[in-house]
Coordinates of all heavy atoms in Angstrom, one line a residue:
M1 N 14.2 -27.5 -27.3 CA 13.5 -27.5 -25.9 C 12.8 -28.8 -25.8 O 12.2 -29.4 -26.8 CB 12.4 -26.4 -25.9 CG 13.2 -25.1 -25.5 SD 12.2 -24.0 -24.6 CE 11.0 -23.4 -25.7
T2 N 12.7 -29.4 -24.6 CA 12.0 -30.6 -24.4 C 10.6 -30.3 -23.9 O 10.2 -29.0 -23.8 CB 12.6 -31.5 -23.2 OG1 12.5 -30.8 -22.1 CG2 14.1 -31.8 -23.5
R3 N 9.9 -31.3 -23.8 CA 8.4 -31.0 -23.4 C 8.3 -30.4 -22.1 O 7.6 -29.5 -21.8 CB 7.7 -32.4 -23.5 CG 6.1 -32.5 -23.6 CD 5.7 -33.8 -23.4 NE 4.7 -33.9 -22.3 CZ 3.4 -33.7 -22.5 NH1 3.0 -33.3 -23.5 NH2 2.7 -33.9 -21.5
N4 N 9.3 -30.9 -21.1 CA 9.2 -30.5 -19.8 C 9.7 -28.9 -19.7 O 9.2 -28.1 -19.0 CB 10.3 -31.2 -18.9 CG 9.6 -32.5 -18.5 OD1 8.3 -32.6 -18.5 ND2 10.4 -33.4 -17.9
D5 N 10.6 -28.4 -20.7 CA 11.0 -27.1 -20.7 C 9.8 -26.3 -21.2 O 9.5 -25.1 -20.6 CB 12.1 -27.0 -21.8 CG 13.3 -27.4 -21.3 OD1 13.6 -27.5 -20.1 OD2 14.3 -27.7 -22.1
L6 N 9.0 -26.8 -22.1 CA 7.9 -26.0 -22.5 C 6.9 -25.8 -21.4 O 6.2 -24.8 -21.2 CB 7.1 -26.7 -23.7 CG 7.8 -26.6 -25.1 CD1 7.1 -27.5 -26.0 CD2 7.8 -25.1 -25.5
I7 N 6.6 -26.8 -20.6 CA 5.7 -26.8 -19.4 C 6.2 -25.7 -18.5 O 5.4 -24.9 -18.0 CB 5.5 -28.3 -18.8 CG1 4.8 -29.1 -19.8 CG2 4.8 -28.1 -17.5 CD1 4.7 -30.6 -19.4
L8 N 7.6 -25.7 -18.2 CA 8.2 -24.9 -17.3 C 7.9 -23.4 -17.9 O 7.5 -22.6 -17.0 CB 9.7 -25.1 -17.1 CG 10.3 -24.3 -16.2 CD1 9.8 -24.5 -14.8 CD2 11.9 -24.6 -16.2
V9 N 8.1 -23.1 -19.1 CA 7.9 -21.8 -19.6 C 6.5 -21.4 -19.5 O 6.2 -20.3 -19.1 CB 8.5 -21.7 -21.1 CG1 8.0 -20.5 -21.8 CG2 9.9 -22.0 -21.2
A10 N 5.6 -22.3 -19.8 CA 4.2 -22.0 -19.7 C 3.8 -21.6 -18.3 O 3.0 -20.6 -18.0 CB 3.3 -23.3 -20.1
V11 N 4.3 -22.4 -17.3 CA 4.1 -22.1 -15.9 C 4.6 -20.7 -15.5 O 3.9 -19.9 -14.8 CB 4.6 -23.2 -15.0 CG1 4.6 -22.8 -13.6 CG2 3.8 -24.6 -15.1
L12 N 5.7 -20.4 -15.9 CA 6.4 -19.1 -15.6 C 5.6 -18.0 -16.2 O 5.4 -17.0 -15.6 CB 7.8 -19.0 -16.1 CG 8.8 -19.9 -15.4 CD1 10.2 -19.9 -16.1 CD2 9.0 -19.4 -13.9
I13 N 5.1 -18.2 -17.5 CA 4.1 -17.0 -18.1 C 2.9 -16.9 -17.2 O 2.5 -15.8 -17.0 CB 4.0 -17.5 -19.6 CG1 5.2 -17.5 -20.4 CG2 2.8 -16.7 -20.1 CD1 5.1 -18.0 -21.8
I14 N 2.3 -17.9 -16.9 CA 1.1 -17.9 -16.1 C 1.2 -17.1 -14.8 O 0.7 -16.2 -14.4 CB 0.5 -19.3 -15.9 CG1 -0.1 -19.9 -17.2 CG2 -0.7 -19.3 -14.8 CD1 -0.3 -21.5 -17.1
F15 N 2.4 -17.5 -14.2 CA 2.7 -16.8 -12.9 C 3.0 -15.4 -13.0 O 2.5 -14.6 -12.2 CB 3.8 -17.5 -12.2 CG 3.3 -18.8 -11.2 CD1 3.5 -19.8 -11.6 CD2 2.8 -18.4 -10.0 CE1 3.0 -21.0 -10.8 CE2 2.2 -19.4 -9.1 CZ 2.3 -20.7 -9.7
S16 N 3.6 -15.0 -14.1 CA 4.0 -13.7 -14.3 C 2.7 -12.8 -14.6 O 2.7 -11.6 -14.5 CB 5.0 -13.5 -15.5 OG 4.4 -13.8 -16.8
L17 N 1.7 -13.4 -15.1 CA 0.4 -12.9 -15.4 C -0.4 -12.5 -14.2 O -1.4 -11.7 -14.2 CB -0.4 -13.5 -16.5 CG 0.3 -13.7 -17.9 CD1 -0.6 -14.4 -18.8 CD2 0.6 -12.3 -18.4
V18 N -0.2 -13.4 -13.1 CA -1.1 -13.3 -11.9 C -0.6 -12.0 -11.2 O 0.6 -12.0 -10.9 CB -0.9 -14.6 -11.0 CG1 -1.7 -14.4 -9.8 CG2 -1.5 -15.7 -11.8
P19 N -1.5 -11.1 -10.8 CA -1.2 -10.0 -10.0 C -0.7 -10.4 -8.7 O -1.1 -11.4 -8.1 CB -2.4 -9.1 -10.0 CG -3.4 -10.0 -10.4 CD -2.9 -11.1 -11.1
P20 N 0.2 -9.6 -8.1 CA 0.7 -10.0 -6.7 C -0.5 -10.0 -5.8 O -1.3 -9.1 -5.9 CB 1.7 -8.8 -6.4 CG 1.5 -7.7 -7.4 CD 0.8 -8.4 -8.5
M21 N -0.3 -10.9 -4.8 CA -1.5 -11.1 -3.8 C -1.4 -9.8 -2.9 O -0.4 -9.4 -2.5 CB -1.4 -12.5 -3.0 CG -1.5 -13.6 -3.7 SD -3.3 -13.8 -4.1 CE -3.8 -14.9 -2.7
N22 N -2.5 -9.3 -2.5 CA -2.7 -8.3 -1.6 C -3.4 -8.6 -0.5 O -4.6 -8.9 -0.5 CB -3.3 -6.9 -2.3 CG -3.2 -5.8 -1.4 OD1 -2.9 -5.9 -0.3 ND2 -3.6 -4.7 -1.9
F23 N -2.7 -9.1 0.6 CA -3.5 -9.6 1.7 C -4.2 -8.5 2.6 O -5.1 -8.9 3.5 CB -2.5 -10.3 2.6 CG -1.8 -11.6 2.0 CD1 -0.6 -11.6 1.5 CD2 -2.7 -12.7 1.8 CE1 -0.2 -12.7 0.9 CE2 -2.2 -13.9 1.2 CZ -1.0 -13.9 0.7
D24 N -4.0 -7.3 2.3 CA -4.5 -6.2 3.1 C -5.4 -5.4 2.2 O -5.4 -4.2 2.3 CB -3.4 -5.5 3.8 CG -4.2 -4.6 5.0 OD1 -5.3 -5.0 5.4 OD2 -3.6 -3.6 5.4
S25 N -6.1 -6.1 1.3 CA -6.9 -5.2 0.2 C -8.1 -4.5 0.8 O -8.5 -3.6 0.1 CB -7.3 -6.1 -0.9 OG -8.1 -7.2 -0.4
K26 N -8.5 -5.0 1.9 CA -9.8 -4.4 2.4 C -9.5 -3.0 2.9 O -8.6 -2.7 3.7 CB -10.3 -5.2 3.6 CG -11.7 -4.8 4.0 CD -12.3 -6.0 4.8 CE -13.5 -5.6 5.5 NZ -14.5 -4.7 5.1
K27 N -10.3 -2.0 2.3 CA -10.0 -0.7 2.6 C -10.4 -0.3 4.1 O -11.4 -0.7 4.5 CB -10.7 0.2 1.6 CG -10.2 1.5 1.2 CD -10.8 2.1 0.1 CE -11.3 3.5 0.3 NZ -12.0 4.1 -0.9
K28 N -9.5 0.4 4.7 CA -9.9 0.8 6.1 C -10.3 2.4 6.1 O -9.7 3.2 5.5 CB -8.7 0.6 7.1 CG -8.8 -0.9 7.5 CD -7.8 -1.1 8.5 CE -7.4 -2.6 8.6 NZ -6.1 -2.8 9.2
I29 N -11.4 2.6 6.9 CA -11.8 3.9 7.1 C -11.9 4.2 8.6 O -12.2 3.4 9.4 CB -13.3 3.9 6.6 CG1 -13.5 3.5 5.1 CG2 -13.9 5.4 6.8 CD1 -13.0 4.6 4.1
A30 N -11.6 5.5 9.0 CA -11.8 5.9 10.3 C -12.8 6.9 10.2 O -12.8 7.8 9.5 CB -10.4 6.3 10.9
V31 N -13.7 6.8 11.4 CA -14.7 7.9 11.4 C -14.3 8.8 12.6 O -13.8 8.2 13.5 CB -16.1 7.4 11.5 CG1 -16.6 6.8 10.2 CG2 -16.2 6.5 12.7
V32 N -14.6 10.1 12.5 CA -14.3 11.0 13.5 C -15.6 11.5 14.1 O -16.4 12.1 13.2 CB -13.3 12.2 13.0 CG1 -13.2 13.2 14.2 CG2 -12.1 11.6 12.4
K33 N -15.9 11.4 15.3 CA -17.1 11.9 15.8 C -16.9 12.9 16.8 O -16.0 12.8 17.6 CB -17.9 10.7 16.5 CG -18.4 9.7 15.6 CD -19.2 8.6 16.4 CE -19.3 7.4 15.6 NZ -20.0 6.2 16.3
V34 N -17.7 14.0 16.7 CA -17.7 15.0 17.8 C -19.0 15.0 18.4 O -20.0 15.3 17.7 CB -17.3 16.4 17.1 CG1 -17.3 17.5 18.3 CG2 -15.9 16.3 16.5
G35 N -19.1 14.9 19.8 CA -20.4 14.9 20.4 C -21.2 13.7 19.8 O -22.5 14.0 19.8
G36 N -20.8 12.7 19.3 CA -21.7 11.6 18.9 C -21.9 11.6 17.4 O -22.7 10.8 16.8
E37 N -21.6 12.8 16.8 CA -22.0 12.9 15.3 C -20.8 12.8 14.5 O -19.8 13.3 14.8 CB -22.6 14.3 15.0 CG -24.0 14.4 15.7 CD -24.8 15.6 15.1 OE1 -24.4 16.1 14.0 OE2 -25.8 15.9 15.6
I38 N -21.0 12.0 13.4 CA -19.7 11.8 12.5 C -19.5 13.2 11.8 O -20.4 13.7 11.0 CB -20.0 10.7 11.6 CG1 -20.1 9.4 12.2 CG2 -18.9 10.7 10.4 CD1 -20.5 8.3 11.4
V39 N -18.3 13.6 11.9 CA -17.9 14.9 11.2 C -17.1 14.7 10.1 O -16.8 15.6 9.3 CB -17.3 16.0 12.2 CG1 -18.2 16.3 13.3 CG2 -16.0 15.4 12.8
R40 N -16.4 13.5 10.1 CA -15.3 13.2 9.0 C -15.1 11.9 8.9 O -15.2 11.0 9.9 CB -14.1 13.9 9.4 CG -13.2 14.1 8.3 CD -12.3 15.4 8.4 NE -11.7 15.5 7.2 CZ -10.9 16.6 6.9 NH1 -10.9 17.7 7.7 NH2 -10.1 16.5 5.8
E41 N -14.9 11.4 7.6 CA -14.5 9.9 7.3 C -13.1 10.0 6.6 O -12.9 10.8 5.7 CB -15.5 9.3 6.4 CG -16.8 9.0 7.2 CD -17.9 8.1 6.4 OE1 -17.4 7.7 5.2 OE2 -19.0 7.9 6.9
L42 N -12.3 9.3 7.2 CA -10.9 9.2 6.7 C -10.6 7.9 6.0 O -10.8 6.9 6.5 CB -9.9 9.4 7.9 CG -10.3 10.5 8.9 CD1 -9.4 10.3 10.1 CD2 -10.0 11.8 8.3
D43 N -9.9 8.1 4.9 CA -9.4 7.0 4.2 C -8.0 6.7 4.7 O -7.1 7.6 4.4 CB -9.5 7.2 2.6 CG -8.8 6.1 1.9 OD1 -8.3 5.1 2.4 OD2 -9.1 6.1 0.7
L44 N -7.7 5.6 5.3 CA -6.5 5.4 6.0 C -5.3 5.1 5.0 O -4.2 5.0 5.5 CB -6.6 4.3 7.1 CG -7.5 4.6 8.3 CD1 -7.3 3.5 9.4 CD2 -7.1 6.0 8.9
S45 N -5.7 4.9 3.8 CA -4.6 4.7 2.9 C -4.0 6.1 2.4 O -3.0 6.2 1.7 CB -5.0 4.0 1.6 OG -6.0 4.7 1.0
E46 N -4.7 7.1 2.7 CA -4.2 8.5 2.4 C -3.1 9.0 3.4 O -2.9 8.4 4.4 CB -5.3 9.5 2.4 CG -6.1 9.1 1.1 CD -7.4 10.1 1.1 OE1 -7.5 11.0 1.9 OE2 -8.3 10.0 0.2
K47 N -2.6 10.1 3.1 CA -1.6 10.6 3.9 C -2.0 12.2 4.1 O -1.8 12.9 3.1 CB -0.3 10.6 3.3 CG 0.9 11.0 4.4 CD 2.3 10.7 3.7 CE 3.4 11.0 4.7 NZ 3.6 12.4 5.1
K48 N -2.4 12.5 5.3 CA -2.7 13.9 5.5 C -2.8 14.3 7.0 O -2.9 13.5 7.9 CB -4.0 14.3 4.8 CG -5.2 13.5 5.3 CD -6.5 13.8 4.6 CE -7.6 12.9 4.8 NZ -8.7 13.0 3.8
I49 N -2.7 15.6 7.3 CA -2.8 16.1 8.5 C -4.0 17.2 8.6 O -4.0 17.9 7.6 CB -1.5 16.8 8.9 CG1 -0.5 15.7 9.3 CG2 -1.7 17.6 10.3 CD1 0.8 16.3 9.7
F50 N -4.9 17.1 9.4 CA -5.9 18.1 9.5 C -6.4 18.3 11.1 O -5.9 17.6 11.9 CB -7.1 17.7 8.7 CG -7.7 16.4 9.1 CD1 -8.8 16.4 10.1 CD2 -7.2 15.2 8.9 CE1 -9.4 15.2 10.5 CE2 -7.8 14.0 9.2 CZ -8.9 14.1 10.1
T51 N -7.1 19.3 11.2 CA -7.6 19.8 12.5 C -9.1 19.5 12.6 O -9.8 19.7 11.8 CB -7.4 21.3 12.6 OG1 -5.9 21.5 12.4 CG2 -7.7 21.7 14.1
V52 N -9.4 19.0 13.8 CA -10.8 18.8 14.2 C -11.2 19.8 15.3 O -10.6 19.8 16.3 CB -11.0 17.3 14.7 CG1 -12.6 17.1 15.1 CG2 -10.7 16.1 13.7
E53 N -12.1 20.6 15.0 CA -12.6 21.6 15.9 C -13.7 21.0 16.7 O -14.7 20.4 16.2 CB -13.1 22.8 15.1 CG -12.1 23.4 14.1 CD -11.3 24.5 14.8 OE1 -11.5 24.8 15.8 OE2 -10.4 25.0 14.0
A54 N -13.6 21.1 18.1 CA -14.6 20.8 18.9 C -15.1 22.0 19.8 O -14.2 23.0 19.7 CB -14.1 19.6 19.8
S55 N -16.0 21.9 20.6 CA -16.5 23.0 21.4 C -15.4 23.5 22.4 O -15.2 24.5 22.7 CB -17.8 22.7 22.0 OG -17.7 21.5 22.8
G56 N -14.7 22.5 23.0 CA -13.7 22.7 23.9 C -12.4 23.1 23.5 O -11.5 23.5 24.2
G57 N -12.2 22.9 22.2 CA -10.8 23.1 21.6 C -10.6 22.3 20.4 O -11.5 22.1 19.7
K58 N -9.3 22.0 20.0 CA -9.1 21.4 18.8 C -8.0 20.2 18.8 O -7.2 20.3 19.8 CB -8.8 22.4 17.7 CG -7.5 23.1 18.0 CD -7.4 24.1 16.7 CE -6.1 24.7 16.8 NZ -6.0 26.1 17.2
N59 N -8.1 19.3 18.0 CA -7.1 18.2 18.0 C -6.6 18.2 16.5 O -7.4 18.3 15.7 CB -7.9 16.9 18.3 CG -8.4 16.9 19.7 OD1 -9.0 17.8 20.1 ND2 -8.3 15.6 20.3
I60 N -5.3 18.0 16.6 CA -4.7 17.8 15.1 C -4.4 16.3 14.9 O -3.8 15.6 15.7 CB -3.5 18.6 15.1 CG1 -3.7 20.1 15.2 CG2 -2.7 18.4 13.7 CD1 -2.5 20.9 15.4
L61 N -5.1 15.9 13.8 CA -4.9 14.3 13.5 C -4.0 14.2 12.4 O -3.9 15.0 11.4 CB -6.4 13.9 13.1 CG -7.3 13.4 14.4 CD1 -7.6 14.4 15.3 CD2 -8.5 12.9 13.8
E62 N -3.4 13.0 12.3 CA -2.5 12.6 11.3 C -2.9 11.3 10.7 O -3.0 10.4 11.5 CB -1.0 12.6 11.8 CG -0.1 12.4 10.6 CD 1.4 12.3 11.0 OE1 1.5 11.5 12.0 OE2 2.2 12.7 10.4
V63 N -3.1 11.2 9.5 CA -3.4 9.9 8.7 C -2.0 9.6 8.0 O -1.6 10.3 7.2 CB -4.6 9.9 7.8 CG1 -4.7 8.6 7.2 CG2 -5.8 10.4 8.5
K64 N -1.4 8.4 8.3 CA -0.3 8.1 7.6 C 0.0 6.4 7.9 O -0.2 6.0 8.9 CB 0.9 8.8 8.4 CG 2.3 8.8 7.5 CD 3.2 9.7 8.2 CE 4.0 9.0 9.4 NZ 5.0 9.8 10.0
G65 N 0.5 5.9 6.7 CA 1.0 4.5 6.9 C -0.3 3.7 7.3 O 0.0 2.5 8.0
G66 N -1.5 3.9 6.9 CA -2.6 3.1 7.2 C -3.1 3.3 8.6 O -3.9 2.4 9.1
A67 N -2.6 4.3 9.3 CA -3.2 4.5 10.7 C -3.4 5.9 11.0 O -3.2 6.8 10.2 CB -2.0 4.1 11.7
V68 N -4.1 6.3 12.0 CA -4.5 7.5 12.4 C -4.1 7.8 13.9 O -4.2 6.9 14.6 CB -6.0 7.8 12.2 CG1 -6.9 6.9 12.9 CG2 -6.4 9.4 12.4
R69 N -3.5 9.0 14.1 CA -3.3 9.3 15.6 C -3.5 10.9 15.7 O -3.7 11.6 14.7 CB -1.8 8.9 15.8 CG -0.9 9.7 15.1 CD 0.5 9.2 15.4 NE 1.5 10.2 14.7 CZ 2.4 10.9 15.2 NH1 2.3 10.9 16.7 NH2 3.3 11.6 14.6
V70 N -3.7 11.2 17.1 CA -3.7 12.6 17.4 C -2.3 13.0 17.7 O -1.6 12.4 18.6 CB -4.6 12.8 18.7 CG1 -4.8 14.3 19.1 CG2 -5.9 12.2 18.4
V71 N -1.8 14.1 16.8 CA -0.5 14.5 17.2 C -0.5 15.7 18.0 O 0.6 15.8 18.7 CB 0.2 14.9 15.7 CG1 0.5 13.7 14.9 CG2 -0.7 15.9 14.9
E72 N -1.6 16.5 18.2 CA -1.5 17.5 19.2 C -2.9 17.8 19.4 O -3.9 17.7 18.6 CB -1.1 18.8 18.2 CG -0.1 19.5 19.0 CD 0.5 20.8 18.2 OE1 1.3 20.4 17.3 OE2 0.1 21.9 18.6
A73 N -3.1 18.2 20.8 CA -4.4 18.6 21.2 C -4.3 19.5 22.3 O -3.3 19.5 23.1 CB -5.2 17.4 21.7
D74 N -5.2 20.5 22.6 CA -5.2 21.4 23.6 C -6.3 20.9 24.8 O -6.6 21.9 25.5 CB -5.5 22.8 23.1 CG -6.8 23.0 22.3 OD1 -7.6 22.0 22.4 OD2 -7.0 24.1 21.9
C75 N -6.5 19.8 24.9 CA -7.2 19.2 25.9 C -6.3 19.1 27.2 O -5.0 19.0 27.1 CB -7.7 17.9 25.7 SG -6.7 16.5 25.2
P76 N -6.8 19.2 28.5 CA -5.9 19.2 29.6 C -5.3 17.9 29.9 O -4.2 17.8 30.4 CB -7.0 19.5 30.7 CG -8.3 19.2 30.3 CD -8.3 19.4 28.7
D77 N -5.9 16.7 29.5 CA -5.2 15.3 29.9 C -4.4 14.7 28.8 O -3.5 14.0 29.2 CB -6.5 14.3 30.3 CG -7.4 14.2 29.2 OD1 -7.1 14.4 28.0 OD2 -8.5 13.6 29.5
K78 N -4.5 15.2 27.6 CA -3.7 14.6 26.5 C -3.8 13.2 26.3 O -2.8 12.5 25.9 CB -2.1 15.1 26.7 CG -2.0 16.6 26.7 CD -1.8 17.1 25.4 CE -1.5 18.7 25.3 NZ -2.4 19.5 26.0
I79 N -4.8 12.5 26.8 CA -5.0 11.1 26.8 C -5.0 10.5 25.2 O -4.3 9.7 24.9 CB -6.1 10.6 27.5 CG1 -5.9 10.6 29.1 CG2 -6.4 9.1 27.1 CD1 -7.0 10.4 30.0
C80 N -5.6 11.5 24.5 CA -5.8 11.2 23.2 C -4.4 11.1 22.3 O -4.1 10.3 21.5 CB -6.7 12.1 22.4 SG -6.4 13.8 22.7
V81 N -3.5 12.1 22.8 CA -2.1 12.2 22.1 C -1.4 10.9 22.6 O -0.8 10.3 21.8 CB -1.5 13.4 22.6 CG1 -0.1 13.5 21.9 CG2 -2.2 14.6 22.1
R82 N -1.4 10.6 23.8 CA -0.7 9.5 24.4 C -1.1 8.1 23.9 O -0.6 7.2 23.8 CB -0.8 9.5 25.8 CG 0.1 10.6 26.5 CD 0.5 10.3 28.0 NE -0.5 9.9 28.8 CZ -1.3 10.7 29.6 NH1 -0.9 12.0 29.6 NH2 -2.1 10.3 30.4
R83 N -2.4 8.0 23.5 CA -3.0 6.8 22.9 C -2.1 6.3 21.7 O -2.2 5.2 21.6 CB -4.5 7.1 22.6 CG -5.1 5.9 21.8 CD -5.5 4.9 23.0 NE -6.4 3.9 22.3 CZ -6.1 2.8 21.6 NH1 -4.7 2.7 21.5 NH2 -6.8 2.0 21.1
G84 N -1.6 7.2 21.0 CA -0.8 6.8 19.7 C -1.7 6.4 18.6 O -2.8 6.8 18.7
A85 N -1.0 5.8 17.7 CA -1.8 5.5 16.4 C -2.7 4.3 16.5 O -2.4 3.3 17.3 CB -0.9 5.3 15.2
I86 N -3.8 4.3 15.8 CA -4.7 3.2 15.8 C -4.9 2.7 14.2 O -4.8 3.6 13.3 CB -6.1 3.4 16.4 CG1 -6.8 4.6 15.8 CG2 -6.0 3.6 18.0 CD1 -8.3 4.8 16.0
K87 N -4.9 1.5 14.0 CA -5.2 1.1 12.7 C -6.0 -0.2 12.5 O -6.3 -0.6 11.4 CB -3.8 0.8 12.0 CG -3.0 -0.2 12.6 CD -1.7 -0.3 11.8 CE -0.7 -1.3 12.3 NZ 0.5 -1.6 11.6
N88 N -6.2 -0.8 13.6 CA -7.1 -2.1 13.4 C -8.5 -1.9 13.7 O -8.9 -0.9 14.6 CB -6.5 -3.2 14.6 CG -5.1 -3.5 14.3 OD1 -4.7 -3.8 13.2 ND2 -4.2 -3.5 15.4
L89 N -9.3 -2.7 13.1 CA -10.8 -2.5 13.1 C -11.2 -2.5 14.6 O -10.7 -3.4 15.3 CB -11.5 -3.7 12.4 CG -11.5 -3.6 10.9 CD1 -12.1 -4.9 10.4 CD2 -11.9 -2.3 10.4
G90 N -12.0 -1.6 14.9 CA -12.7 -1.5 16.3 C -11.8 -0.6 17.3 O -12.2 -0.3 18.4
E91 N -10.6 -0.3 16.9 CA -9.8 0.5 17.8 C -10.1 1.9 17.8 O -10.7 2.5 16.9 CB -8.3 0.6 17.3 CG -7.5 -0.8 17.7 CD -6.0 -0.8 17.5 OE1 -5.7 -0.3 16.3 OE2 -5.3 -1.1 18.4
T92 N -10.2 2.6 18.9 CA -10.6 4.0 19.2 C -9.6 4.9 19.8 O -8.7 4.4 20.4 CB -12.0 3.9 19.9 OG1 -11.7 3.4 21.2 CG2 -13.0 3.2 19.3
I93 N -9.8 6.1 19.5 CA -9.0 7.1 20.3 C -10.1 8.0 20.7 O -11.0 8.5 20.0 CB -8.0 8.0 19.4 CG1 -7.0 7.2 18.8 CG2 -7.4 9.1 20.3 CD1 -6.1 8.0 17.8
A94 N -10.2 8.3 22.1 CA -11.2 9.1 22.7 C -10.5 10.4 23.3 O -9.5 10.3 24.0 CB -12.0 8.4 23.7
C95 N -11.1 11.6 23.0 CA -10.6 12.8 23.7 C -11.9 13.2 24.4 O -12.7 13.8 23.9 CB -10.1 13.9 22.7 SG -9.7 15.2 23.6
V96 N -11.9 12.7 25.7 CA -13.2 13.1 26.5 C -13.5 14.5 26.7 O -14.5 15.0 26.5 CB -13.1 12.2 27.9 CG1 -14.3 12.6 28.8 CG2 -13.0 10.8 27.6
P97 N -12.4 15.3 27.1 CA -12.6 16.7 27.2 C -13.4 17.4 26.0 O -14.2 18.3 26.1 CB -11.3 17.3 27.5 CG -10.5 16.2 28.0 CD -11.1 15.0 27.3
H98 N -13.0 16.9 24.8 CA -13.4 17.6 23.6 C -14.6 16.7 23.0 O -15.1 17.1 22.0 CB -12.3 17.8 22.5 CG -11.2 18.6 22.9 ND1 -10.1 18.8 22.2 CD2 -11.1 19.5 24.0 CE1 -9.4 19.7 22.8 NE2 -9.9 20.1 23.8
K99 N -15.0 15.7 23.6 CA -16.1 14.8 23.1 C -15.8 14.3 21.7 O -16.6 14.1 20.9 CB -17.4 15.5 23.2 CG -17.9 15.8 24.5 CD -19.3 16.4 24.5 CE -20.0 16.6 25.8 NZ -19.3 17.8 26.4
I100 N -14.5 14.0 21.5 CA -14.1 13.6 20.1 C -13.8 12.0 20.3 O -13.0 11.6 21.2 CB -12.8 14.2 19.6 CG1 -13.1 15.7 19.3 CG2 -12.2 13.6 18.3 CD1 -12.0 16.7 19.0
L101 N -14.3 11.3 19.2 CA -14.0 9.9 19.2 C -13.6 9.5 17.9 O -14.3 9.9 16.8 CB -15.3 9.1 19.6 CG -15.1 7.7 19.7 CD1 -14.3 7.2 21.0 CD2 -16.5 6.9 19.7
I102 N -12.4 8.8 17.7 CA -12.0 8.3 16.4 C -12.0 6.8 16.4 O -11.5 6.3 17.3 CB -10.6 8.8 16.2 CG1 -10.4 10.3 16.3 CG2 -10.1 8.4 14.8 CD1 -9.1 10.8 16.7
E103 N -12.7 6.2 15.4 CA -12.8 4.8 15.5 C -12.5 4.2 14.0 O -12.9 4.8 12.9 CB -14.4 4.4 15.8 CG -14.5 3.0 15.9 CD -15.9 2.5 16.3 OE1 -16.8 3.4 16.4 OE2 -16.0 1.4 16.6
V104 N -11.7 3.1 14.0 CA -11.5 2.5 12.7 C -12.5 1.5 12.5 O -12.9 0.6 13.3 CB -10.2 1.7 12.8 CG1 -9.8 0.9 11.6 CG2 -9.0 2.6 13.2
V105 N -13.3 1.7 11.3 CA -14.2 0.8 10.9 C -13.9 0.2 9.6 O -12.9 0.7 8.9 CB -15.6 1.6 10.9 CG1 -16.1 2.1 12.1 CG2 -15.4 2.8 9.8
G106 N -14.7 -0.7 9.2 CA -14.5 -1.4 7.8 C -15.0 -0.4 6.8 O -15.7 0.6 7.0
E107 N -15.0 -0.8 5.6 CA -15.4 0.0 4.5 C -16.9 0.3 4.5 O -17.7 -0.9 4.8 CB -15.1 -0.5 3.1 CG -15.2 0.5 2.0 CD -14.5 -0.1 0.7 OE1 -14.2 -1.2 0.7 OE2 -14.4 0.7 -0.1
Ligands
ZN1 ZN1 -7.6 14.8 24.3

């Protein structure tokens, strides 16, 4: 091996030791508020489905693929269901009839 070969090998070893870059390492949390009070905090890296009970009815939320959405609701307008999934900081889903607000916040 020449000197250059040794340098190449050394560089390859160093790169193999560096962990892969994670550009989206900041953990995202969504808060679920009912009537202005936080009833639940969601880790968006998880995968789950659950029900939020409000005075006027209930909404079924799904957390998947780093996003949260309302999959089912018994509110009259269904605006929250049509809103689709949210995943970016500051995005919200509101269910006005049930006074439910879901907001993506930082950690
Ligand atoms: Zn709704």
